[in-house]
Amino acid sequence: MSSDQTLQDSPFRSEPTVRDEAPQFVLPLVVRIERAAPPARTDALETAARAVLVILSDERSLGGGEWARAMRDWQDARIRKVVRRARGAEWRRAGALPGITVTGKSAEVRVFPPVPLDGWPKDLARLQVSGTDLEDPEPPVEADRTAPVLWLNPDLEMSAGKAMAQAGHGAQLAWWALPDEERAAWRDAGFPLAVRTAPPFRWRELTTSGLPLVRDAGFTEIAPGSCTVVADHPALRGD
């Protein structure tokens, strides 16, 4: 798949493609949001992106692993991701299901193997999608460009849940675009990355740079075809 996502079977094209003919799956992510101690927004976005990378590289997702078939079926169709929120007993029930919990500075995100669009486990299906609006107590520090940066479109307003899914898309496209040795190095380093809103003056430059670009399919919140994220991995830069 090309990094600019111009192939006919791109998972983010808004018009029908061969991916729409395949059975559709979704990758569930659940973010822990306790009333007394919600996570910082940027940390939640970064933790969700790392969670996607962790499950993509997990041995259970590869070869003959127990999640491998579901992962292949999901990636053969639209790579949908849905973020839901949980707290207290809801979070504990979600934690009992097969999946992986990834922890950031203040955020906890649990990612689960893909499920059919209409086949969510009941303990995940009952969780709310809305209510994932989060804030940063302080402005994020400037991103270290020696590590991957997922740049968000400065012209779009997205809920934290939507932005978490989009950051996950960007991380996944970067993963797909990397050669095996760069994937291994990123994984072995613990998937360092930053998620930042791009400066408006840099956004056009980023979207024409040849780096992996997410164009949203328009299922929720924003218009189909909107550019949401550019995945700026050092190994993929032309400089």
Side-chain angles (χ1 to χ4, degrees):
M1 182 173 295
S2 65
S3 60
D4 63 2
Q5 290 300 291
T6 57
L7 292 185
Q8 291 300 308
D9 65 346
S10 163
F12 299 109
R13 290 177 67 87
S14 55
E15 59 268 31
T17 75
V18 294
R19 286 178 175 271
D20 295 295
E21 299 173 5
Q24 297 296 303
F25 290 77
V26 61
L27 187 80
L29 297 109
V30 176
V31 56
R32 184 179 186 181
I33 303 181
E34 301 288 350
R35 283 198 179 99
R41 178 185 174 96
T42 296
D43 189 39
L45 269 59
E46 293 172 349
T47 305
R50 286 195 293 115
V52 171
L53 294 165
V54 167
I55 197 169
L56 284 170
S57 61
D58 191 277
E59 62 182 11
R60 289 166 289 185
S61 299
L62 306 173
E66 61 187 283
W67 300 341
R69 176 62 184 272
M71 294 293 287
R72 286 194 297 270
D73 288 345
W74 169 60
Q75 291 179 89
D76 284 345
R78 301 271 187 172
I79 53 170
R80 299 188 187 188
K81 300 175 181 70
V82 172
V83 177
R84 301 192 176 206
R85 61 181 173 88
R87 62 173 180 262
E90 296 172 331
W91 176 255
R92 292 190 291 275
R93 284 193 294 268
L97 299 174
I100 305 170
T101 297
V102 177
T103 303
K105 297 182 181 69
S106 61
E108 291 180 75
V109 175
R110 189 163 178 83
V111 60
F112 303 86
V115 298
L117 280 176
D118 58 355
W120 285 65
K122 64 179 182 180
D123 284 332
L124 299 183
R126 63 174 53 137
L127 299 177
Q128 295 296 311
V129 176
S130 61
T132 55
D133 291 329
L134 301 170
E135 298 181 357
D136 282 314
E138 299 177 358
V141 300
E142 185 174 350
D144 176 5
R145 293 191 70 242
T146 64
V149 184
L150 304 174
W151 295 107
L152 302 177
N153 186 336
D155 298 322
L156 293 178
E157 291 189 8
M158 294 183 282
S159 67
K162 178 70 171 181
M164 289 168 70
Q166 298 301 303
H169 292 333
Q172 185 166 0
L173 294 190
W175 179 256
W176 281 353
L178 289 170
D180 289 344
E181 61 272 20
E182 293 292 347
R183 287 185 180 183
W186 198 11
R187 180 195 63 224
D188 293 347
F191 294 119
L193 59 83
V195 178
R196 296 291 186 273
T197 299
F201 69 88
R202 281 206 63 212
W203 181 244
R204 178 172 175 77
E205 174 189 343
L206 286 164
T207 58
T208 58
S209 64
L211 291 166
L213 170 65
V214 178
R215 290 184 181 272
D216 190 61
F219 295 120
T220 60
E221 291 194 25
I222 57 179
S226 299
C227 300
T228 57
V229 179
V230 172
D232 182 12
H233 191 292
L236 300 176
R237 293 175 191 149
D239 51 32

